[in-house]
Amino acid sequence: MSKPIYDRVALIGLGLIASSMFWAMKRANLAGKVTGYARSQETRDTARRIGLTDRVCDSAAEAVEGADLVVLAVPVGAMGPVAEAIAPHLKPGATVTDVGSVKRHVIDAVAPHIPEGVHFIPAHPLAGTEHSGPESGFAELFENRWCLIVPLPGTPDTEIARLRALWEAMGSNVDEMDPDHHDLVLAVTSHAPHLIAYTMVGVADDLRRVTDSEVIKYSAAGFRDFTRIAASDPTMWRDVFLTNKDATLEILGRFTEELFALQRAIRQGDGQMLFDYFTRTRAIRRGIIEAGQDTAAPDFGRVKPRE
Amino acid sequence: MSKPIYDRVALIGLGLIASSMFWAMKRANLAGKVTGYARSQETRDTARRIGLTDRVCDSAAEAVEGADLVVLAVPVGAMGPVAEAIAPHLKPGATVTDVGSVKRHVIDAVAPHIPEGVHFIPAHPLAGTEHSGPESGFAELFENRWCLIVPLPGTPDTEIARLRALWEAMGSNVDEMDPDHHDLVLAVTSHAPHLIAYTMVGVADDLRRVTDSEVIKYSAAGFRDFTRIAASDPTMWRDVFLTNKDATLEILGRFTEELFALQRAIRQGDGQMLFDYFTRTRAIRRGIIEAGQDTAAPDFGRVKPRE
C-alpha cells in the first residue's frame, strides 16, 4: 500500500461529510491515523460504537493535537468559534481546511484565528445526500463529484497540491475558484434551489384545501423530488442562507422576476412562450448527463425500464 | 391465462404513458388486441418497428373502430379535437378514457363529443419519467403509483369498476376524485413544482455571471434534481399550464408569498424562523417514504451507501 497523504488527520464535526471522508480515507489508506470530535455526546458515542475515526476525542483541542490536517466539518456558522478553540493547539506546519458550503464567510470567520505557520486552505466538496449524522457517511460519496478549493493568497503551492491529492484520491475532481465567485455559483446551483424546494414543501404543508395525506400519496407527480432536497439538515442550511445572504437573495430576485414572466404567460395564454422556455431548459439536462453529473436512467433510476 | 379485461383497446397517442400501458397490458394479458395511432408518421414508424401495439393505424378513426376501450393519451390541448375526430367511429357501449394531467378542461373539451351510449371516464395515472416518446415506455411504470379516476355523474358503476380493474392490474392504486379537487391537488403536487423547476433552470441558463459549464459541472449540489423535472415534454406541460391556469396561478401565488417570507427572514438574519421551517419540511419527506411513494435510499439510490 502506498504512503498516506497525511500522517495524522483530525475531523472536527462527525456528520455526513466527515464520516464519508473517514471511510474514503481508510479505504485507500490516505491517512495514517484519524482522530475525531463532535460537540454532542450522542454523536461521539455513536462514532465510538461504529468505529468512526481511530480515536474519538472529548474536545476539539485534543483531537487536533499533532494533526497534519484538520478538517472543519461543522455548520458554517460554527466555523469561527471552532477555529478559535483549536487555534492554540494546532501543530506548526499543519493545514486547516473546511468543507463549508459558503466560502467568503468561512474565510472571514476562520482566517483571523489561524496562527502564523499554519496553512488555511478553504474547500467545498459538492457532494451530499439528504441524510445527515455520523451514520450517514459512505466511502463513495465523493466519487466523480467536484471539490472546489479556494486558496488564499500566499498559501504554498505544495500544500494546496497535497490537499488536492487527498480529494482526488477520495474520488473527486478538483477545481480552484475565488471565494466570491464560488458563493455566486453555489447560490445558483445549490442555495437558491434548496430554498425554493423548502418553500414549495412548506406551501404544500400549509394548504388547508389539500390534505397532507393527499400531498403525500400523490407526490410522485413531481413534488417528491422537492421533498428530498427539503429534507436536508436544517442547521446546516440555516447557516448557509444566513452567511451567503447577498448572493442567495440576488438569485432569488432573478428567480422571482422569471417566475412572474412565466405566470404572466400562463395568465395570458401565451403557449408559444411556454413551449420555447420548456424546450430550452431540456438542453441543460442533457449537458448535465453528458458531463457525468447525473444518470440518464428515467426517474434517477428509481424504476427499471423494460429490458 | 385469465380472460382479458377489455377485448379490444385503442391507444390514441403513443408516448410514454400509452406505450407503458401497452407493455403493462401485454405482460398480464389485460387486452385481447391493441391498436394504436399517433399523429406523426415518425412515431407510427417507430411503433411499427418496436412492435408497439398489435396494429398501428394511419388514422385515429381506424384505430378506434370496434374498440371496447379507447385511451386518449395525447397532450391535454389536443384531447378535444381528437375526441371530435373519433366520435363517429366509436362502438356503442365502448368506454373512452384519457390520461391527461388536468381533468376539468378535458371533461369540458371531450364530453360534448361523446355519443349517446358511449361512456366517458376521465382518469389520470400519476406516473411518468422525464423521458417521452414511443420508446420511453415500460411495463413497470404504474407499479405502486396512484391512478385517479374522475367519473362523471350517471356513469354505470360496472364500467367504472372495469376501468379500475385495468389500472389495478397494471399495478396502480386507484382513487376516485372530483375534477376540481383533482386539478387543485395536482397543482400542488405536480404543476406548480414543474413550473418552479422550469423557472430555476431558466434562471441558471440566463445568468451571465455564471457560465453554463459551471452550472452543469457543479449541479450535483441540488440543482440537477430540478433539471430532471425541467426536462419533461414541453408540449405536454405547455398544455397543462394553459388548461389548469386558475389552480396553478393560485398555488404559485401562495408560493411567492411564502418565498418572500423566507427571503425576509434571510435578509433580517432570522435563523430561528429558517431552522423551524426547515425542520417542519423534513416531516413531509418522511411521510412520503412511509407511504411507499419514494425510496429512503440516499440521493434516490443514485449512490450506493456503505454496506
Side-chain angles (χ1 to χ4, degrees):
Chain A
M1 227 173 220
S2 59
K3 203 175 159 296
I5 297 175
Y6 291 95
D7 270 345
R8 285 277 323 278
V9 174
L11 300 173
I12 308 301
L14 293 171
L16 169 65
I17 299 294
S19 58
S20 296
M21 287 180 75
F22 176 73
W23 301 117
M25 288 188 290
K26 278 290 133 174
R27 185 180 56 170
N29 191 38
L30 308 176
K33 191 183 165 188
V34 181
T35 54
Y37 167 75
R39 198 183 45 162
S40 109
Q41 177 73 51
E42 193 190 339
T43 302
R44 295 198 299 270
D45 290 346
T46 303
R48 285 181 179 118
R49 180 170 52 75
I50 66 174
L52 176 61
T53 76
D54 299 311
R55 183 163 58 92
V56 177
C57 304
D58 287 314
S59 77
E62 186 191 338
V64 307
E65 208 90 50
D68 302 295
L69 178 71
V70 174
V71 182
L72 307 180
V74 297
V76 168
M79 296 277 182
V82 167
E84 188 174 8
I86 61 171
H89 309 278
L90 293 168
K91 176 175 145 179
T95 288
V96 173
T97 188
D98 77 302
V99 298
S101 306
V102 176
K103 294 272 69 84
R104 171 57 66 195
H105 174 88
V106 169
I107 292 169
D108 291 349
V110 169
H113 299 296
I114 301 296
E116 195 63 39
V118 171
H119 315 292
F120 175 43
I121 312 178
H124 178 204
L126 308 190
T129 75
E130 68 276 28
H131 297 187
S132 47
E135 296 184 275
S136 60
F138 50 99
E140 299 79 9
L141 180 63
F142 308 111
E143 274 168 22
N144 196 29
R145 294 282 86 88
W146 287 91
C147 179
L148 298 176
I149 294 185
V150 180
L152 302 176
T155 309
D157 286 346
T158 49
E159 296 307 323
I160 299 171
R162 202 173 168 195
L163 185 63
R164 174 190 275 265
L166 176 68
W167 279 107
E168 288 175 346
M170 290 192 292
S172 287
N173 310 314
V174 176
D175 264 352
E176 290 188 21
M177 206 178 263
D178 86 76
D180 295 320
H181 192 65
H182 168 279
D183 289 358
L184 179 65
V185 168
L186 269 288
V188 176
T189 57
S190 181
H191 307 169
H194 272 80
L195 195 78
I196 287 162
Y198 278 121
T199 306
M200 187 63 228
V201 175
V203 167
D205 185 38
D206 233 33
L207 214 72
R208 296 285 163 260
R209 289 161 55 212
V210 174
T211 66
D212 272 7
S213 80
E214 285 174 326
V215 165
I216 286 170
K217 276 164 78 174
Y218 310 133
S219 64
F223 179 70
R224 66 174 172 179
D225 288 10
F226 283 63
T227 66
R228 187 188 75 81
I229 295 185
S232 301
D233 185 54
T235 307
M236 172 189 157
W237 282 98
R238 176 199 63 196
D239 286 3
V240 165
F241 296 122
L242 295 179
T243 59
N244 196 21
K245 187 184 288 202
D246 294 344
T248 304
L249 290 176
E250 179 189 333
I251 301 305
L252 292 173
R254 283 280 300 113
F255 172 85
T256 312
E257 215 175 85
E258 201 88 356
L259 182 62
F260 285 170
L262 284 164
Q263 277 181 245
R264 196 174 50 236
I266 293 174
R267 200 180 297 280
Q268 297 178 340
D270 185 350
Q272 193 60 48
M273 188 275 198
L274 297 173
F275 181 84
D276 292 344
Y277 201 98
F278 303 162
T279 301
R280 188 162 63 88
T281 56
R282 257 192 164 178
I284 294 249
R285 176 73 185 166
R286 269 196 299 273
I288 287 172
I289 290 164
E290 281 160 17
Q293 292 301 304
D294 208 347
T295 171
D299 222 359
F300 303 125
R302 276 189 192 116
V303 287
K304 285 210 183 320
R306 182 171 54 89
E307 300 297 307
Chain B
M1 225 177 224
S2 61
K3 200 175 160 300
I5 297 174
Y6 292 96
D7 271 344
R8 285 277 323 275
V9 175
L11 300 172
I12 308 300
L14 294 170
L16 169 66
I17 299 295
S19 57
S20 295
M21 287 181 74
F22 176 72
W23 301 118
M25 289 189 289
K26 277 291 136 175
R27 185 180 55 171
N29 192 36
L30 308 177
K33 191 183 164 188
V34 181
T35 54
Y37 168 73
R39 198 184 45 163
S40 108
Q41 177 71 53
E42 192 190 339
T43 302
R44 297 199 298 273
D45 290 345
T46 302
R48 286 181 178 118
R49 179 169 53 77
I50 66 174
L52 176 60
T53 76
D54 300 312
R55 184 163 57 92
V56 177
C57 304
D58 288 314
S59 78
E62 186 193 338
V64 306
E65 208 90 51
D68 303 294
L69 178 70
V70 174
V71 182
L72 307 181
V74 297
V76 168
M79 296 277 183
V82 166
E84 188 174 9
I86 62 171
H89 311 276
L90 293 168
K91 176 174 146 180
T95 288
V96 173
T97 188
D98 78 301
V99 297
S101 308
V102 176
K103 293 274 70 82
R104 172 57 65 196
H105 174 88
V106 169
I107 291 169
D108 291 348
V110 170
H113 300 294
I114 302 295
E116 196 65 39
V118 171
H119 315 292
F120 174 44
I121 312 178
H124 178 203
L126 309 191
T129 75
E130 69 275 28
H131 296 189
S132 48
E135 296 184 275
S136 60
F138 51 100
E140 299 80 7
L141 180 64
F142 308 111
E143 274 169 23
N144 197 31
R145 293 283 87 88
W146 288 90
C147 179
L148 298 176
I149 295 186
V150 180
L152 302 176
T155 309
D157 286 345
T158 50
E159 296 308 323
I160 297 172
R162 201 173 169 197
L163 185 63
R164 174 190 274 266
L166 176 68
W167 278 108
E168 287 175 347
M170 290 192 292
S172 286
N173 310 314
V174 176
D175 264 353
E176 290 187 20
M177 207 178 263
D178 88 74
D180 294 321
H181 191 65
H182 168 279
D183 289 356
L184 179 65
V185 168
L186 268 288
V188 177
T189 56
S190 181
H191 307 169
H194 272 80
L195 195 77
I196 287 162
Y198 278 122
T199 306
M200 187 64 228
V201 175
V203 168
D205 185 37
D206 234 32
L207 214 73
R208 295 286 164 259
R209 288 160 56 212
V210 175
T211 65
D212 273 8
S213 81
E214 286 174 325
V215 165
I216 287 170
K217 276 165 78 175
Y218 310 133
S219 64
F223 179 71
R224 66 174 173 180
D225 288 12
F226 283 62
T227 65
R228 187 187 77 82
I229 296 184
S232 301
D233 185 53
T235 307
M236 169 187 158
W237 282 98
R238 175 200 63 197
D239 285 4
V240 165
F241 296 122
L242 294 179
T243 60
N244 195 21
K245 188 184 287 204
D246 294 345
T248 304
L249 291 176
E250 180 190 333
I251 301 305
L252 292 175
R254 283 281 299 116
F255 172 85
T256 311
E257 217 175 85
E258 201 87 357
L259 183 62
F260 285 170
L262 284 164
Q263 278 182 245
R264 196 174 48 238
I266 293 175
R267 202 180 296 280
Q268 296 177 340
D270 186 350
Q272 193 61 48
M273 188 277 197
L274 296 173
F275 181 84
D276 292 345
Y277 201 99
F278 303 161
T279 301
R280 188 162 64 85
T281 55
R282 258 192 164 177
I284 295 246
R285 176 73 186 166
R286 268 195 300 272
I288 288 172
I289 290 165
E290 281 158 20
Q293 292 301 304
D294 208 348
T295 172
D299 222 1
F300 303 122
R302 274 189 193 117
V303 286
K304 286 210 182 319
R306 184 170 55 88
E307 298 298 305

